[in-house]
């Protein structure tokens, strides 16, 4: 006979309510779920049980918004010369526009994450897209370079939420055995930006002027805002959020609990405040606890993520890989302009090879991840570890190939092939790293993804600032040979996580429970 599980609850009323269920009451929709954990406690209107059509519609909506966020990063690059002339700006001011956009798009998801774990995903999407829309409209009408820089910061502040919260949304609705494919599809969207952005921006600038790029982004953001406002169903469930439960525990003035330790998959326990299956009355009592934005503090969840060595190793690796992508696309544009005499349109067409490679790597890598997960589950009697899903393909070889093909000014076709495989292998690793960050932090997936966004934003900012001086002094051959070495170090960190990550997680979880 399976022992009963008594759930721990925090109520806003002195009334004591104790709910008892058995493990048979917990519907296991995924063969990899061995025991109850924070991601699989009972909730009403469970997003994991929604129809395939409803899940697909959510995926399409956040995919569209992620494309817009990716396009916003560099679609105005072909108009740089026109902006310098029109606004009487210096080259350093133009560089500041891109650098500030990257760093704010990377750091602000920490705040959006905290809000989403208190108020839900939908309010974050709607609010952030509205802010980004305002930034684009004002930027399109900017009369000075200062206003343009400020509005790019506003635009980045809004767009940064989509990529970070999007991954958490997918974790809300898909089981671990499905996430690889869905994460792969989703993360193909923002990676299209570095390739499609210059192409679209070049066409709009040549047909109209630099302001047209911002009006184009504003139009897309307007459509996305309508989709999220009227057609997006919120996937957030407070019972599955450790951040929400922690805030509720701190705010509760009267607490009556019944505590029992429950063994969970991957060595975790049910934390105070999570629920299995409760009656309607208890759920209503919990909702009485009103939470305000005063409770939004991104640092406690951030610190919990950073206390785990497995997270730190994967976040460093993920940040460097993302910086490599920005460095490649940014310096490649200069190489094509200076050494091949390509205009903005031709440069955009060449960089499409990177975007196509990213799409193939993202989709195929995600499918491979799900297939590998099923194989591991079948081979290990239904058990698996998130560390087993990490992978290390041949990205250093693609980086070296591009380095010396660009250095020797080889035929453009060979350069396109190298860029294609750089895109393919970089997203193959990156999507694996992101899936691991989500799966290894149950109950804190949005905090972990936002922390990842911060790491990659800071790394991309640093390497974007130093890319041009290094390219001028070392050439493409030296610069990307150096990058190949850094990527090898990243893959060694991934190997370390694969080897020791599970042990590190278990030690960290024991410390958190203590």
């Amino acid at each position: 006979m399976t022992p009963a599980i008594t759930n721990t609850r925090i109520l806003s009323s002195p009334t004591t309510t104790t709910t008892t269920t058995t493990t048979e009451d917990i519907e296991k929709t995924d063969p990899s779920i061995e025991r109850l954990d924070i991601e699989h406690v009972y909730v009403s209107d469970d997003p994991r049980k929604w129809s395939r059509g409803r899940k697909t519609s959510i995926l399409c909506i956040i995919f569209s918004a992620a494309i817009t966020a990716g396009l916003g990063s560099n679609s105005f690059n072909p108009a740089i010369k026109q902006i310098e002339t029109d606004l009487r700006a210096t080259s350093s001011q133009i560089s500041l526009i891109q650098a500030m956009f990257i760093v704010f798009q990377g750091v602000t998801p920490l705040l959006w994450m905290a809000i989403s774990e208190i108020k839900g995903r939908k309010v974050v999407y709607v609010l952030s897209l509205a802010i980004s829309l305002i930034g684009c409209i004002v930027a399109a009408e900017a009369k000075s370079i200062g206003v343009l820089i400020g509005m790019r910061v506003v635009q980045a502040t809004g767009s940064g939420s989509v990529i970070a919260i999007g991954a958490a949304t997918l974790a809300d609705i898909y089981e671990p055995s499905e996430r690889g494919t869905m994460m792969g599809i989703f993360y193909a969207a923002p990676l299209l930006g570095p390739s499609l952005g210059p192409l679209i921006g070049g066409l709009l600038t040549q047909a109209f002027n630099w302001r047209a790029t911002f009006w184009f982004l504003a139009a897309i953001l307007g459509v996305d805002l309508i989709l999220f406002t009227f057609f997006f169903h919120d996937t957030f469930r407070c019972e599955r959020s450790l951040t929400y439960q922690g805030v509720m525990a701190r705010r509760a003035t009267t607490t009556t609990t019944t505590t029992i330790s429950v063994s969970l998959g991957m060595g975790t326990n049910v934390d105070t405040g999570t629920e299995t299956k409760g009656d309607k009355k208890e759920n209503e009592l919990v909702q009485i606890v009103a939470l305000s934005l005063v409770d939004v503090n991104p640092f406690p969840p951030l610190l919990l993520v950073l206390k785990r060595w497995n997270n730190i190793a994967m976040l460093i690796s993920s940040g460097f890989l993302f910086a490599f992508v920005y460095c490649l696309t940014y310096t490649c544009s200069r190489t094509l302009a200076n050494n091949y005499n390509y205009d903005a349109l031709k440069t955009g067409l060449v960089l499409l090879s990177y975007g196509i490679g990213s799409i193939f790597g993202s989709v195929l890598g995600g499918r491979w991840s799900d297939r590998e997960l099923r194989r591991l589950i079948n081979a290990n009697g239904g058990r698996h570890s998130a560390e087993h899903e990490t992978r290390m393909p041949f990205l250093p070889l693609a980086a070296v190939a591009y380095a010396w093909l660009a250095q020797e000014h080889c035929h453009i076709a060979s350069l396109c092939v190298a860029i294609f495989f750089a895109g393919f292998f970089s997203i193959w690793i990156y999507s694996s790293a992101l899936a691991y960050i989500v799966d290894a932090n149950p109950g804190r997936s949005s905090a972990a993804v936002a922390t990842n966004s911060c790491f990659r934003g800071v790394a991309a900012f640093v390497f974007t600032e130093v890319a041009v001086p290094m390219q001028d002094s070392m050439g493409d051959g030296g610069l990307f040979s150096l990058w190949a070495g850094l990527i090898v170090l990243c893959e060694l960190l991934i190997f370390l996580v694969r080897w020791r990550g599970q042990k590190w997680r278990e030690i960290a979880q024991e410390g958190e429970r203590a």
Side-chain angles (χ1 to χ4, degrees):
M1 186 70 178
T2 305
I5 297 176
T6 304
N7 179 49
T8 300
R9 282 306 259 152
I10 295 175
L11 305 179
S12 59
S13 165
T15 304
T16 301
T17 303
T18 303
T19 305
T20 302
T21 67
T22 63
T23 53
E24 285 83 1
D25 295 326
I26 309 300
E27 181 178 355
K28 296 183 175 67
T29 58
D30 188 302
S32 67
I33 302 170
E34 293 181 83
R35 298 180 182 182
L36 181 66
D37 59 45
I38 185 67
E39 286 196 355
H40 297 95
V41 297
Y42 174 83
V43 294
S44 60
D45 190 23
D46 191 345
R48 302 271 174 85
K49 299 178 183 178
W50 287 352
S51 68
R52 182 177 298 273
R54 193 175 186 183
K55 292 181 179 180
T56 302
S57 67
I58 290 175
L59 176 61
C60 291
I61 291 173
I62 62 175
F63 184 89
S64 172
I67 288 181
T68 308
L71 288 174
S73 63
N74 60 1
S75 59
F76 87 112
N77 284 357
I80 285 175
K81 292 295 182 183
Q82 197 176 106
I83 293 173
E84 286 181 352
T85 303
D86 190 23
L87 299 183
R88 299 174 183 176
T90 64
S91 58
S92 61
Q93 289 174 322
I94 296 296
S95 297
L96 185 61
I97 294 176
Q98 183 70 348
M100 294 296 287
F101 184 93
I102 293 172
V103 73
F104 270 84
Q105 192 179 58
V107 173
T108 53
L110 290 173
L111 176 62
W112 293 126
M113 168 276 300
I115 298 175
S116 78
E117 291 291 336
I118 302 298
K119 297 297 185 181
R121 316 292 189 212
K122 184 171 182 174
V123 67
V124 170
Y125 285 126
V126 172
L127 179 61
S128 63
L129 287 173
I131 290 173
S132 190
L133 175 61
I134 292 171
C136 284
I137 292 175
V138 178
E141 293 295 316
K143 304 299 182 183
S144 68
I145 190 63
V147 172
L148 184 58
I149 293 173
M151 289 304 103
R152 285 288 283 175
V153 168
V154 173
Q155 182 187 351
T157 299
S159 66
S161 71
V162 175
I163 299 173
I165 307 302
T169 302
L170 294 183
D172 292 340
I173 63 177
Y174 290 109
E175 296 291 353
S177 63
E178 303 172 289
R179 285 178 192 163
T181 298
M182 299 309 166
M183 288 285 187
I185 294 172
F186 170 65
Y187 258 83
L191 291 167
L192 284 173
S195 55
L196 289 180
L199 178 61
I200 295 174
L203 288 171
L204 290 171
T205 301
Q206 289 185 7
F208 303 99
N209 54 42
W210 67 269
R211 300 179 187 276
T213 61
F214 289 101
W215 284 118
F216 173 77
L217 290 173
I220 300 179
L221 283 168
V223 173
D224 290 335
L225 185 58
I226 292 173
L227 291 175
F228 276 104
T229 302
F230 297 104
F231 300 100
F232 179 80
H233 303 280
D234 203 336
T235 62
F236 175 73
R237 298 295 179 267
C238 63
E239 297 89 346
R240 292 176 175 172
S241 169
L242 292 176
T243 301
Y244 184 99
Q245 300 295 339
V247 170
M248 200 165 73
R250 290 192 299 270
R251 285 177 59 89
T253 55
T254 304
T255 303
T256 305
T257 63
T258 304
T259 306
I260 186 170
S261 178
V262 182
S263 179
L264 303 179
M266 296 188 294
T268 60
N269 283 355
V270 174
D271 293 321
T272 300
T274 62
E275 73 172 341
T276 52
K277 186 173 181 179
D279 57 24
K280 182 177 180 182
K281 181 179 180 181
E282 182 183 356
N283 290 334
E284 289 175 350
L285 285 172
V286 173
Q287 296 305 318
I288 293 174
V289 180
L291 301 175
S292 68
L293 293 181
V294 176
D295 298 307
V296 177
N297 183 355
F299 294 106
L302 170 66
L303 292 176
L304 287 171
V305 171
L306 293 178
K307 282 183 178 180
R308 299 185 178 188
W309 286 109
N310 60 304
N311 286 339
I312 292 176
M314 193 60 74
L315 289 168
I316 292 174
S317 178
S318 175
F320 272 88
L321 289 171
F322 191 79
F324 166 75
V325 168
Y326 260 92
C327 187
L328 174 66
T329 55
Y330 187 53
T331 58
C332 183
S333 299
R334 297 183 77 240
T335 298
L336 294 173
N338 297 332
N339 299 335
Y340 291 82
N341 296 319
Y342 276 17
D343 59 19
L345 183 58
K346 288 182 178 180
T347 297
L349 290 171
V350 171
L351 289 177
L352 270 179
S353 58
Y354 173 83
I356 295 171
S358 297
I359 293 173
F360 275 95
S362 187
V363 175
L364 295 179
R367 289 184 178 275
W368 182 90
S369 179
D370 285 346
R371 187 186 68 178
E372 187 70 7
L373 177 58
R374 288 192 293 269
R375 185 187 68 79
L376 290 168
I377 290 171
N378 294 332
N380 295 282
R383 298 182 179 183
H384 85 286
S385 170
E387 285 74 20
H388 292 155
E389 302 171 48
T390 55
R391 49 189 184 263
M392 298 167 288
F394 307 102
L395 181 56
L397 297 179
V400 170
Y402 171 80
W404 295 103
L405 288 172
Q407 180 73 24
E408 299 300 325
H409 307 166
C410 293
H411 193 277
I412 194 64
S414 63
L415 213 61
C416 288
V417 172
I419 294 171
F420 172 88
F421 281 108
F424 182 90
F425 288 131
S426 61
I427 187 55
W428 186 284
I429 305 177
Y430 186 79
S431 60
S432 170
L434 182 72
Y436 173 80
I437 289 168
V438 171
D439 292 344
N441 294 275
R444 294 193 184 96
S445 58
S446 61
V449 173
T451 307
N452 176 62
S453 179
C454 181
F455 267 70
R456 72 180 194 176
V458 172
F461 168 77
V462 171
F463 280 96
T464 299
E465 286 293 291
V466 303
V468 172
M470 292 179 68
Q471 185 185 32
D472 291 339
S473 62
M474 304 170 63
D476 286 314
L479 174 60
F480 287 97
S481 293
L482 175 62
W483 262 118
L486 291 174
I487 294 169
V488 169
L489 292 177
C490 291
E491 295 192 350
L492 289 175
L493 285 175
I494 295 174
F495 176 79
L496 189 61
V497 170
R498 189 183 182 99
W499 176 44
R500 296 285 296 173
Q502 183 174 359
K503 185 66 175 178
W504 286 340
R505 282 194 295 111
E506 291 172 354
I507 292 173
Q509 288 161 357
E510 288 294 333
E512 289 170 12
R513 284 197 295 272

